[in-house]
Every structure is written in structure tokens, then in C-alpha cells.
Amino acid sequence: MTGRPAAAWGRGVARRLLAALAVLWAAASASYVALLLAPGDTIDILVGDGPDTPEIRARIVAEWGLDRPEVVQYVAYLWRLLHGDLGRSYQLQLGVGEVLSSQVGPTLQLTLAAAGAGVSLAGVIAVVTAGRGRWLRGAASAAELVSVSVPPFLIGLVLLAVFSFTLGWFPVSGASGPQALVLPALALGLPIAGVLGQVLRGGLERALEQPFAVTARARGLSEPRLVARHALRHALIPAVTLAGWFTGTLLGGAVITEVLFGRPGLGQVAMQAVTGRDMPVVMAVVLLSAIVYVTISTLLDLAYRAIDPRIGGRP
Amino acid sequence: MRVKRPKGIAPFVLVVSLTACGSQQPAQQAQDSSLTWAIETQPLTLNPQQWGQNKVRLLVFNQFDALLSRQKDGTFQPWLAKSWKVSDDGLTYTLELRDDVTFHDGTKFDAAAVKANLEQFLVPGYNPGIASIQLKSFARAEVKSPATVEITLKEPDALFLDFLASPLAGQVSPKSLKAAKDLKSGGPDLVGTGPFILESYVRGQEIRYRRNPDYKWPPAGAGHQGPAYLSRITYRFLPEAAVRVGALTSGQVQVIEGVPATEAAMIKQDPGLTYQTSLNSGTSFSYYFNTAHAPFDDQRVREAFREAVDVDAVLKAVYQGTATRAWSVVTKGGPFYDASLEGSFGGDTAKANALLDAAGWKQRDAQGYRVKDGRRLTVRSVASAPFVRDRRDILAQAIQAQVKQSAGIDFQVKIVDQGTAQKAYTEGEYEIFENSRGDADAGAALNLILPGKGPINRTGFSDPDVEKWLAAAAGSASLDERKELYAKVQRAVVKDKAIVFPVYVPADQIAAQKSVQGLGFEAGSGTPRSAYDVRIGT
């Protein structure tokens, strides 16, 4: 490696890091402003459906520092963020950092397992069915369509009814062991497998019609080896791009899946916070998802270069 | 209402004590039994003094004991306080405490602990809501002797005893009040004197308790004495009703609470399961009419709305016969219910139409809705999503269809986030406010909703007589006198002024495997009671 590409690479990384910071700042500010503009007064929300007297209101204002101008509250919020202080949950009366840190683990487990299940299912189905007979393709296509179009809630309920309530293979709730992870990961992973499978098979089939595939066949390469060694790499680019999309699916789907299966996790916390308008928690969850997106897109960028070295030429 | 007492409990105790004869161990400790119970609602906090969710009473009273316990007829019974005396002027409460009670951290429960617990509410920011409503009349507490505490009020307050019997009076070890890491959210380091010791809490998943082996101070009326039968109990949070039922029928949990109407019949038919239900105390689920502007500033329109709905038919359609119709703002589940209101309104379409004609809503528009001076007869209900339960959204849709068909009323239902709802309430952008409250003493709810300046008065209704009666009832120590006063209040707002449209009485349900015994409901509140009496029978 010569000096110049390395320097260019370093600049590229620095630029990406700056961009990531900007994205995070924008996410923090946008969620702050959105919550500020949303109807209803913070004090009203804190009072909720309970007793409401001027005395109670005064105490709440003092407790949460709501009497300061919004700009001051905003700057103070950013300042605290910079120091790693996410504030205190209105509803749970706990530090937000504490709430999230106890819930990140289970969600991470669930989303990784779901992504793993989704990606491997999609890969296997695509490789097995690409360019094969019509009925096999048709069946796979239909299954994919169903898994994409049926709401995750319903998929989860059906999986529970069959594999937990009737067959008794898996427990319904908890994050106690690997067994309890299977059904939620499947419920969350099936839609991903559906979309990814379709894209991957399409890509494979296009790649198999390319001149290089004809050449390889002429060299006597067997069809499975051709798919695995050559075509897959071409089909991966659109599939990897989709990974960004499924990160979103995972975060959104985790809310439903966690509630349905009675699992701990960010999804449950986020939902409770949004319905209860627990601003500090909502904003922390927004920030966290922004961090996840930024990280994933950076990793994807690196993955592109690994899959197709031609992309690496650009800084 | 029947509250099932476990049958056959006496022979069981006898057998157990016989088998335990040879050992020094208390009978219940000999057997090791645990249970998993799926519940719908997660606690926002585990500190009893921050409690606000009726559905988590069953958790609070596992870990903490209150000073008194409330009975179904509205009277009070001893708990951690053996007896109490109220001075003639209603200002001084002298409580004689049990002297054999210890907290889970080993410290002794005494008069100083009661004083520390009461005074904790005076710490700024600890719980402003309680300090200024339930405890507004509290002046001071004095330790007269280790087992005697004297509480002085600024003014007579009939609801003070109810406070002493509520989760808010759950006694917390003063040592842990000082040392708990997160005082307001509670946790294993905030300890009480209850029959179970909190072991762990995983938000979103479960909460675990183990038996307190030293427990021997259950409230009067408990099914047994001594430590709890179960050595361990785990509550799993399963917010989805279908999942709770599936977990029960497949044997993954032994007990569930919150059984939807659609599943109740199936559970009742299952010979391996038991099902019980209890009406809640407090206020009925009611539509409160906003009388501050048209059209409900006209009493004829308010009455017409009630007449336009065939409540029985609606409840049957939505709850499949499992809901109990309400006739008053106060529920049948509590002691203050005025039964004379039964049958006094509702379901008379002809009367509804006549009333609307008389009120000037004579014309109809192209869609069949009534109009007056070019304006459609539209009423809006705005509900905050976190408070919508029991399929109240579906109920509203059924009522919507009925009032349209029978009387040409355009009833619009909006379910929004809490902030949007509060904005609509503040700005008066609604005609119907829906609410029910689970307070064990309905007086607490009526004081919030009915006085002109009541904190959640969303009707714009104020009436000097009603306020006089409410104030007199709050200051009276006589249950009979309070009943009479609250009956007057109910008649005024339901019959004479048609301010409320009572719809149904909220209820709780418990379903369980047949082997689980001793399940039931708290006499005072009608909500599922703690696991103290629960055991696995044979």
C-alpha cells in the first residue's frame, strides 16, 4: 500500500466520523424539537390523569427545571448528553442510562439472532432455488411473499400457538435461555428472510445469465459451485444495501416482538415511553437508533469494498 | 358479589400441621412450592408510596403491609395497626401497632417507623400529588410509645382511614427509605414487612418473590395465619391477552389475570381451569358530558344521548355477556352504590328523538344526521391511548353506530397520545370525557371529578348542593351518613342533571389451573389480592 491511498483513506474515515457526529447531533436536536412541538404541555403530561393543583404543578416545574426558556433547556440537554448524562425518566423515576443499559442486552440478542436467522434462511433458500424448476421457485416465492406481507404480530402469534402452546417445544416468555430466543427471533427474522431471499435470488439469476457465467460453465464448473463461488458475490451488493433497511425493520419489529413474547428489551421501554410521553427515554432511544444506523451504514460501506474491490477506489 | 373463600382450607392446615408435628419448622416451610403468574400490567415503580396503578396492587401487597385493611362494606379492619381511635373532633388518630413485626432487613416495625413513613411524603418532590390530595390534611405524627402513634390532622378527613388502608400506606423500613439506591422506583433494597421478599425484577419480563419465613401478621380476614404457603412466586409480564391465555392453557403459567371476554367462555368450559371475576370499587366507566358548550349545555340533549343507546345490547355485543351494566357513577362493587338509580335511563329511542326534536335539532342532513342552524349534531370524545383498556375503543364504536342509527347523532371517537388529549381537554375541544377510577373509596374519585374546581372535572358542571354534600361526606366519620350523602350526589348527577352516562362496571378476572387454591380479590378494591393465601392443592 502506498502513502497516497492511505492518506486518502484516513481522510475518508475522518470525514465519515464527522458526518456520523453531525447525524447524531441532528437526531438529538430533531427529536428534541419534535417533542417540543408535539401537542400538550410537558407539565400536563407529567400530571397525567392524576390530581392537578397549582401546588403540584409548581413542584413539578421545579423538579424538572421546566421554568427555563426552551433554548436554555435545549443547550443544557446537549451539554448533559456530551457528558454521557441521559437524564431521568419521568415515568420510571430512574436514570435513563440505567434503564437502557439493563435493556440493551436482550434486544441486541434478539436482533442479532433475528438477523442471523433471516440472512441464513434467505441465503439457503436463494441458493437452493435460483434458476431451478418453476414449481420450486414458485413455492419459495409464495412463502417469501407471505412472510413479508403478514404482520409480524400475527406471525408471532401463529408461531406461539403452534410451537409453544400446542407442541410445547419452546417457552412463551423470558430471556432465560437460548430456547426462549428461538420463536421471537423467527418472528422477527422471517420478514427479513422474505425480502432478502427475493432480492438475492433475483441477483443470482441475473448473474447466472452474465457472460462470465457462460465462460465458467464452459470451463466445466458445476452449477452449485458457480452459484456459490461467482454469482453470489454479484448478488450480494443489492442484498447488503438492503441490510440498512432491515436494521430499521429489526428495531421497529423488536417493539412488537418483545411485547408479544414478554421479553425484556428496548422495544417495550420505547413503547411505554412513547405512549406515556416520557421525553428523556424517547430521546435516548432515538439517539441510540441513530448510533446503530450510523454504525451499520459505515460497516456496509466497508463491506461493499470487500465484496467489490472496484468500489474501494473512491475515497 | 361473592369473593370466593378457598374451600377445604381447614382440613389442609390440619393435615400439614400433623405431618409437621415432629419438626421445629413451621408447617409451611416444610413444603417447597412455587408458582408462575402472568399479569398484564408492568409496575411503573415498586415503591408503594409512589403507587398509582390499580392493576399492580397485587404486587404491592406481596412485599408491603398497610396499617389497616378495608372491607367490602367500607369498614376498616386491623393490619399492622391492631386498633385505632379517632377523637370526637375528627382531628386526632391514635393507632395501637402490633409489636411483633419486623421488616425484611431485620429492623423493627414501630411507631417511629410509621412517623418516618408519613413524614417521607413531606419531603419536597417525593410525591407531590399524594402530599397535596390524600395527605393534604396531615399535620404531624407523634410517637407516644414504641407501639402507639398519634396522628394529627389539620381538618377532619373521612378519607384518611382509606389512605391508611391503601398501598400508599405500605410501610417501608425507615432504614431503607434512607439507603435505597433509587428510592422512587424501588427495588430489592426498598423493603417492607410483607409476606414475600422481592428477589429480582427484570423490566419487561418478570418479577420474583420468595417467602418471608417470619411473617405472621396478615390483615384481618386473611385465609390463614403464619408465613405464605408458596415458597416462591414469579410474575411474568405478558401484555397480550391471547398470549396469557395460551400460556395458561399450555401449562407454562399456573395463574393469569386479565381475561378478555372472548376467552372467558372457553376457560369456563375447560374442566382443568378455574375462572373468577370481581367488580372493582371506585367509579363506573362512564361518559361525562361537557356542559360548557353546545350541544350538551342543554340537558335534553344529554338525556337524549343516553336514551339513544341500548346499553345492554352494546355490552352484549362487545363483551359477550361478561360486562356488568352500570347505573350510577359509583360502582356496584363498593359500599356507596345507590341501587335506586337502576332502570332510570337509557334505551328509549322514541324518547331520545322526542327530546332532540324539542331541543331544536329537527332537521336531518343528507347522511341522516340531525342539524340545527346549519350545524350538525356532532359530539367528540378524546381519549388518551395509555388509558384505553377493556376494548373501550370497540365499545365507543358500537355506541357510535347506535346513536347514529337511533337518533342521528354524529359521535366521533379519537384515541390519541396523552399530550394531544391533554391539549383537547385544556382547550375544551371535546364533548365527552370517558373515565373510570379504581379507588377503594369512591369518595376519593368523586372529589376529583365532581366539584366545580375538581382537578379532573371535565364536565364544566358545578353545583353548590353537590359540593356541600361531597364536603360533608369527606368530613364525616359515619359510614351511614356518608352513604346517604353520596346517594344524594349520585341522584343529582345521574338522574336530576344527567351529567354522566354510566356504562359498565370495570371488573378484574383471574383464571388458573385447577390445582391452584386460595386465589381471590381484595375485599375493599375488588382487584386481585396478593399471593399470601395462594397454595397448590391436591
Side-chain angles (χ1 to χ4, degrees), chain A residues 216-248:
Chain A
R217 280 196 197 98
R219 279 193 281 128
L221 207 63
S222 74
E223 198 68 20
R225 278 179 76 96
L226 171 66
V227 169
R229 305 258 323 253
H230 296 275
L232 200 53
R233 179 174 284 219
H234 289 259
L236 271 181
I237 289 282
V240 166
T241 308
L242 267 179
W245 158 82
F246 81 61
T247 315

Side-chain angles (χ1 to χ4, degrees), chain B residues 40-106:
Chain B
E40 182 175 8
T41 310
Q42 280 204 61
L44 287 173
T45 162
L46 296 173
N47 179 334
Q49 296 167 358
Q50 302 286 329
W51 164 86
Q53 301 157 284
N54 220 33
K55 283 228 161 208
V56 302
R57 282 179 86 106
L58 74 170
L59 297 179
V60 176
F61 285 139
N62 274 343
Q63 199 188 353
F64 301 92
D65 296 317
L67 292 165
L68 305 178
S69 103
R70 180 153 205 165
Q71 302 305 300
K72 187 164 172 50
D73 60 5
T75 59
F76 295 91
Q77 291 285 323
W79 198 344
L80 293 185
K82 281 192 294 194
S83 64
W84 61 96
K85 218 171 56 216
V86 186
S87 65
D88 289 341
D89 60 3
L91 292 178
T92 313
Y93 287 63
T94 311
L95 273 56
E96 293 296 333
L97 307 172
R98 294 187 68 126
D99 58 3
D100 56 349
V101 177
T102 42
F103 289 102
H104 299 157
D105 59 8

Side-chain angles (χ1 to χ4, degrees), chain A residues 39 56 63 164 172-173 175 277, chain B residues 132 184 205 236 252 417 420:
Chain A
I56 295 174
E63 195 180 348
S164 180
V172 58
S173 103
R277 281 283 289 275
Chain B
S132 59
K184 282 187 168 190
Q205 179 176 306
R236 291 240 167 107
Q252 299 183 49
D417 71 283
T420 309

Side-chain angles (χ1 to χ4, degrees), chain B residues 15 84 300 306 322 331 348 407 438 440 489:
Chain B
V15 170
W84 61 96
R300 289 171 294 189
R306 300 199 305 199
T322 61
T331 78
D348 187 341
V489 170

Side-chain angles (χ1 to χ4, degrees), chain B residues 163-217:
Chain B
F163 170 82
L164 295 180
S166 73
L168 297 166
Q171 295 297 299
V172 180
S173 142
K175 190 171 125 194
S176 72
L177 274 180
K178 285 203 189 71
K181 190 161 68 63
D182 285 296
L183 177 59
K184 282 187 168 190
S185 67
D189 59 355
L190 193 74
V191 308
T193 59
F196 290 93
I197 299 169
L198 177 63
E199 210 165 53
S200 69
Y201 172 37
V202 182
R203 199 179 298 288
Q205 179 176 306
E206 65 185 21
I207 183 163
R208 286 172 179 273
Y209 296 94
R210 66 166 197 275
R211 176 168 56 203
N212 173 8
D214 302 323
Y215 193 77
K216 51 175 189 266
W217 42 86

Side-chain angles (χ1 to χ4, degrees), chain B residues 270-315:
Chain B
D270 191 325
L273 301 175
T274 58
Y275 175 85
Q276 36 184 321
T277 176
S278 164
L279 298 178
N280 293 165
S281 308
T283 54
S284 307
F285 175 74
S286 308
Y287 282 178
Y288 291 82
F289 298 126
N290 182 359
T291 63
H293 59 250
F296 285 146
D297 54 349
D298 185 333
Q299 180 162 346
R300 289 171 294 189
V301 183
R302 301 201 292 269
E303 288 182 20
F305 188 92
R306 300 199 305 199
E307 295 305 329
V309 184
D310 181 349
V311 180
D312 291 321
V314 168
L315 292 180

